[in-house]
Amino acid sequence: MTRNTIRDIRAMKKSGAPITMITAYDYTAARLIDEAGVPLILVGDSIGQTTLGYENTIPVTVDDIVSATAAVIRGNRSAFVVADMPFMSYQVSREDALRTAGRLIKEGGAQAVKLEGGSAVVDSVSAITSAGIACMGHLGLTPQSVNQLGGYRVQGRDEDGARQIIEDALALQDAGAFSVVLELVPSELAAEITEALDIPTIGIGAGSECDGQVQVFHDIMGLSLDFTPRHAKKFAEVGDLIIDALGRYMDEVEHREFPSDAQSVRAQRPQAGDNVTELDVASGN
Ligand code: KIV
């Protein structure tokens, strides 16, 4: 099996084939995603809430993303893997941005990186892409700025806000971004940006007319127990399945039904005449 490349992603925009992207943060999910054949993975800084138990993405470190990306790469042979650049790993300087992007590619094994923001980050996008690293933008609701935005709110509802997002999208494209995530923007605005750009738009809470869609794995699998955003549809209730299975496991342990003989090994008693030098415990007898 060969891994998707940036050329495959570009070709999907050209042919009009919708692009599916999903987040992943660990080996097991990455393997399942491989089996399903999803072409694009984001090792998102949403790892903060989904996996590390933080309130938001702000505390996530570059080390967190490097180690999650390496696990995802070990579990998935087919997807094009994009790694998120965490808060404050690129905002201070182009040098920081380049260093972070380099770590995610060299140590994590990602095929591309993603950062949030518009005009404020175009110089960094330019530096990253000039260094030969594929870079994805992220506009609209940018969760790393949650405190400045005053919550997880729809962006670009008024004319000025919408114009700014369109200009930012074009600037990211000019700086060399290969794609841009549009998060929580009105669908009409997402459609206009998708039409205006040559690079693919990947929407989350941005309507159906983006070139592709990205969702947080835990949200669509029913693993986000405390809160599921309105834009996420639960395609499975895996959380409920796990809670039920854990209850049955505990019940069997408490009633000494598990492990049964099928999951146990017994020492083989030597028979008269046997030349036994070692007890056979591997066969389960
Ligand atoms: O971190 C993440 O999961 C993301 C998506 C919401 C696009 O950035």
Side-chain angles (χ1 to χ4, degrees):
M1 186 174 297
T2 56
R3 196 177 284 287
N4 282 312
T5 70
I6 198 169
R7 292 162 61 90
D8 297 307
I9 311 302
R10 285 197 184 114
M12 289 172 90
K13 165 106 186 180
K14 212 163 180 197
S15 70
I19 303 165
T20 310
M21 187 180 207
I22 184 80
T23 66
Y25 321 98
D26 67 273
Y27 171 85
T28 303
R31 279 216 55 189
L32 294 169
I33 293 166
D34 208 16
E35 291 295 321
V38 180
L40 206 51
I41 287 180
L42 172 64
V43 184
D45 58 358
S46 50
I47 190 175
Q49 296 100 313
T50 58
T51 309
L52 301 176
Y54 297 132
E55 194 182 322
N56 51 46
T57 59
I58 288 170
V60 174
T61 65
V62 177
D63 284 346
D64 290 334
I65 300 286
V66 165
S67 119
T69 304
V72 165
I73 290 288
R74 286 192 290 273
N76 189 295
R77 296 157 301 163
S78 58
F80 186 79
V81 176
V82 182
D84 242 345
M85 295 175 59
F87 183 56
M88 279 300 139
S89 71
Y90 60 93
Q91 285 90 343
V92 174
S93 67
R94 283 160 50 119
E95 288 74 16
D96 271 5
L98 208 45
R99 221 168 275 125
T100 300
R103 281 199 64 196
L104 297 177
I105 300 290
K106 283 188 78 163
E107 297 173 40
Q111 279 76 57
V113 299
K114 172 169 87 59
L115 45 63
E116 296 181 7
S119 51
V121 300
V122 290
D123 279 355
S124 294
V125 171
S126 207
I128 290 168
T129 55
S130 300
I133 297 173
C135 186
M136 182 180 243
H138 184 154
L139 295 171
L141 173 74
T142 45
Q144 292 174 11
S145 310
V146 60
N147 292 322
Q148 189 188 40
L149 297 173
Y152 298 100
R153 299 165 173 284
V154 176
Q155 303 295 307
R157 271 208 157 117
D158 60 2
E159 215 174 291
D160 285 351
R163 192 173 330 107
Q164 185 61 58
I165 296 175
I166 296 171
E167 281 171 15
D168 284 344
L170 290 166
L172 287 170
Q173 174 173 269
D174 288 348
F178 77 95
S179 172
V180 59
V181 165
L182 299 175
E183 178 163 359
L184 272 194
V185 299
S187 18
E188 299 83 353
L189 174 59
E192 190 178 337
I193 295 170
T194 302
E195 179 72 32
L197 293 186
D198 296 326
I199 58 174
T201 58
I202 309 289
I204 173 164
S208 62
E209 291 181 56
C210 292
D211 296 301
Q213 298 292 326
V214 58
Q215 284 289 316
V216 169
F217 185 88
H218 292 56
D219 289 345
I220 66 165
M221 294 303 158
L223 285 165
S224 301
L225 299 187
D226 300 325
F227 170 72
T228 304
R230 194 172 83 83
H231 60 69
K233 174 176 166 182
K234 286 190 193 175
F235 287 86
E237 292 285 3
V238 178
D240 287 349
L241 282 176
I242 293 175
I243 292 166
D244 177 62
L246 288 171
R248 286 184 291 111
Y249 166 54
M250 204 164 56
D251 194 56
E252 290 198 16
V253 169
E254 287 170 4
H255 290 87
R256 295 197 183 283
E257 289 167 10
F258 176 85
S260 70
D261 281 353
Q263 293 96 27
S264 305
V265 290
R266 290 187 186 280
Q268 207 172 40
R269 290 261 165 82
Q271 306 289 313
D274 278 357
N275 182 15
V276 178
T277 54
E278 219 175 80
L279 292 182
D280 176 11
V281 290
S283 68
N285 294 322

